[in-house]
Amino acid sequence: MTGHKLFNLREAYSLYAVHHSNHINKIIHILFIPCTLFSVFILINNYSDYFEVIKKYINLSTIFALLLCAYVCYLDCKIGLITSAWILMTNYLANSKIEDIGLSRASSDGVKLLAIALVVLLLGHLIFEGVSHTFSLPAEPLAVFVVPLFVTYEVLFYFGLCKDTQILIYSKINSYCKFFNNNNNNNNNNNNNNNNNNNNNNNNNNNNNNN
């Protein structure tokens, strides 16, 4: 993904969503992406000691949350604000947990929750999207930063909201699907041609040996 695509809603969203087309897998992501983000916010704060000056005023997870909010708001201001609300709430809950039980215990719980969430997300891809889609992820690593916006939009789409945006985004997703399918077909054709060439070479070698 080139830089300008990373900051284009249709491009960034579609490149991520093209691998998340199954309705059940979408529900899994809606439920477990906030859990993943909650864990990440906790774990990020383990590195606060490296930034003593900043730590006096603001913790690392809040900085990361604000940057993520800025990015989703840049892509779509209105829906980005809705997304920012639950991102900041997730960060608040993560820091509240740290204050309640301490960073060490919170981090231990965060690692466990993150492991569970990632396993469930992976199984969702394997079972509902298929192996080929799963092991082509991510098509663009930077596209993962659009995930919070993906969660918000999919909830809104489910309730029949933002229809115009849904049509624009899904048309782009369809174009990506055609692109990936064409690439897979081309790869399969190349593999078949290579196999045929190998078979022909083997036959020629056998004929030479017989002669």
Side-chain angles (χ1 to χ4, degrees):
M1 182 188 292
T2 57
H4 75 280
K5 289 185 178 181
L6 180 61
F7 293 97
N8 179 284
L9 174 62
R10 286 180 64 197
E11 297 285 353
Y13 187 99
S14 301
L15 197 53
Y16 180 84
V18 71
H19 296 292
H20 303 77
S21 57
N22 181 273
H23 291 299
I24 298 177
N25 193 37
K26 287 180 181 179
I27 293 172
I28 291 173
H29 277 67
I30 290 169
L31 295 175
F32 283 92
I33 289 300
C35 296
T36 303
L37 203 54
F38 175 81
S39 300
V40 170
F41 285 146
I42 291 176
L43 297 176
I44 282 177
N45 284 317
N46 282 281
Y47 299 94
S48 295
D49 291 338
Y50 295 101
F51 303 91
E52 286 292 341
V53 177
I54 299 175
K55 184 181 177 181
K56 296 178 182 178
Y57 306 100
I58 188 171
N59 55 48
L60 285 183
S61 67
T62 302
I63 295 174
F64 178 69
L66 290 173
L67 290 173
L68 197 55
C69 291
Y71 174 62
V72 297
C73 285
Y74 179 86
L75 290 177
D76 188 319
C77 185
K78 183 169 65 175
I79 306 304
L81 288 174
I82 299 173
T83 306
S84 296
W86 71 258
I87 289 174
L88 293 174
M89 178 57 70
T90 304
N91 180 59
Y92 171 77
L93 293 173
N95 283 284
S96 295
K97 185 175 179 66
I98 292 173
E99 291 178 3
D100 290 341
I101 65 175
L103 181 58
S104 180
R105 283 184 59 193
S107 297
S108 177
D109 292 344
V111 169
K112 294 173 186 175
L113 180 60
L114 181 62
I116 292 170
L118 292 178
V119 168
V120 173
L121 290 169
L122 179 60
L123 289 175
H125 278 287
L126 288 171
I127 296 171
F128 301 109
E129 299 285 357
V131 174
S132 60
H133 270 209
T134 300
F135 289 101
S136 63
L137 293 176
E140 168 52 57
L142 294 177
V144 298
F145 292 110
V146 82
V147 174
L149 200 61
F150 171 85
V151 170
T152 305
Y153 260 125
E154 289 302 328
V155 172
L156 295 174
F157 292 162
Y158 180 80
F159 289 103
L161 302 172
C162 302
K163 282 290 184 183
D164 292 340
T165 304
Q166 184 179 18
I167 292 170
L168 289 173
I169 288 174
Y170 276 47
S171 65
K172 189 64 180 178
I173 292 172
N174 290 333
S175 69
Y176 274 128
C177 286
K178 292 177 181 177
F179 173 78
F180 288 128
N181 288 334
N182 288 336
N183 277 351
N184 288 334
N185 290 333
N186 289 335
N187 289 334
N188 289 334
N189 289 334
N190 288 334
N191 289 334
N192 290 333
N193 289 333
N194 289 334
N195 289 333
N196 290 333
N197 289 334
N198 289 333
N199 290 332
N200 289 333
N201 289 333
N202 289 332
N203 290 332
N204 288 333
N205 291 331
N206 289 333
N207 290 332
N208 290 332
N209 290 333
N210 292 331
N211 291 332

